[in-house]
Amino acid sequence: TQARLAAEAGMNMAILSLRDPDAMTRLTPDGRPFSIKYRDANVEVQITDERGKVNINAVDEPTLIKLFTSFEVEQDVAVSLAAAIRDWTDPDEIERAYGAEFDTYEANGMPVGPGNRQFIMNEELLQVIGMSWELYKQIEPGLTVHTSSSKVEAAFAPVQAMMAMPEITEDDALNFVAERQSQDATDTAGLTLPSGEVVMAPGRGLTYSIFAKATLPNGVWDQIEATIRLGGGGDGKPYSILRWREGFHH
């Protein structure tokens, strides 16, 4: 319980930092680890701006295919899976080439077909025909449903999201993220993609994923993950929780 509460404290300290108007003292939301001391607990915090992830409601099929093949999915399987995802989100029952609507799901013994609406959460990808648990676990850290853009902002992107970008290999992604996180948050000068495109961090965002792990002196630990959106609502709270995960390491 103490570790869990310390992790929640670390998360709230991270959120407080995100509201800091001073870029020099604000924690950088690109997934780099920060260490926070809370009472006698050591709390590791990582913050990722959701704009650095692949929006599965807006991404096009070629980008999905690139993502899947980067994780060693065969080309024909990747093409079918990408088409099935877009069929899942479009509002009609017209099956696109290599895609899947209800009849295909039914023919494969699946009683529930595509939602014909946007994904509400990443986990709904597991309902798409052809999506395996193994692939989902590999790509999920780079996915989001909480942005409105189809663009992946490389200034914040985790490795998994970067692997959906053109001309980027896994090694390219790993090296880029390592270089980005080694730089001062306020200085991205010289940071470029393999294509030569200069990476510039956009202005402050509103939606972030936060990971917080607290370890007590006796080695007991607990961790939580949340996706939050800054900005007070009608209830007067400074942020709202869009997603919450706890106890998943047990």
Side-chain angles (χ1 to χ4, degrees):
T1 300
Q2 290 176 346
R4 163 64 186 279
L5 293 175
E8 289 193 22
M11 178 168 293
N12 279 289
M13 292 164 74
I15 294 171
L16 182 62
S17 175
L18 289 172
R19 295 172 59 85
D20 187 343
D22 188 349
M24 299 297 293
T25 55
R26 192 167 58 241
L27 296 182
T28 309
D30 69 349
R32 68 181 67 190
F34 295 94
S35 181
I36 297 175
K37 190 73 174 177
Y38 177 74
R39 296 186 177 178
D40 60 347
N42 291 315
V43 186
E44 177 188 329
V45 172
Q46 294 171 276
I47 310 170
T48 303
D49 191 315
E50 289 290 285
R51 293 176 296 174
K53 299 181 180 181
V54 176
N55 178 1
I56 56 176
N57 285 320
V59 63
D60 58 26
E61 289 180 54
T63 301
L64 286 171
I65 293 168
K66 170 60 169 62
L67 175 63
F68 300 149
T69 55
S70 293
F71 284 90
E72 301 183 352
V73 175
E74 295 293 333
Q75 179 74 17
D76 58 339
V77 176
V79 169
S80 296
L81 185 53
I85 288 172
R86 291 281 62 88
D87 269 342
W88 205 100
T89 57
D90 67 31
D92 59 55
E93 288 290 348
I94 302 172
E95 189 168 288
R96 67 188 65 206
Y98 309 109
E101 291 289 355
F102 181 76
D103 288 347
T104 301
Y105 283 76
E106 188 175 46
N108 283 271
M110 303 173 70
V112 178
N116 292 336
R117 57 164 172 77
Q118 291 197 336
F119 293 104
I120 299 173
M121 59 184 72
N122 289 346
E123 288 83 354
E124 286 187 305
L125 270 179
L126 291 167
Q127 298 180 29
V128 176
I129 191 169
M131 175 59 70
S132 68
W133 171 242
E134 290 73 21
L135 176 60
Y136 174 78
K137 285 192 298 182
Q138 288 180 295
I139 65 177
E140 195 278 333
L143 306 179
T144 185
V145 296
H146 300 299
T147 63
S148 58
S149 173
S150 61
K151 181 182 179 182
V152 173
E153 292 289 354
F156 311 120
V159 169
Q160 295 85 347
M162 294 209 63
M163 289 170 64
M165 302 173 70
E167 303 177 20
I168 290 186
T169 66
E170 182 177 9
D171 285 343
D172 291 334
L174 289 167
N175 292 335
F176 177 87
V177 170
E179 181 182 2
R180 184 188 68 206
Q181 294 184 354
S182 70
Q183 292 188 357
D184 186 276
T186 59
D187 180 19
T188 57
L191 199 57
T192 61
L193 297 173
S195 64
E197 177 184 352
V198 178
V199 174
M200 300 293 292
R204 294 168 66 185
L206 292 175
T207 310
Y208 302 87
S209 288
I210 303 174
F211 166 85
K213 177 181 178 180
T215 304
L216 303 180
N218 62 2
V220 172
W221 60 275
D222 203 354
Q223 63 187 36
I224 53 177
E225 289 182 7
T227 303
I228 62 99
R229 180 165 291 149
L230 298 177
D235 56 7
K237 295 180 180 179
Y239 66 92
S240 56
I241 296 174
L242 306 178
R243 185 189 191 205
W244 184 271
R245 296 180 65 205
E246 62 182 64
F248 49 90
H249 64 288
H250 297 302

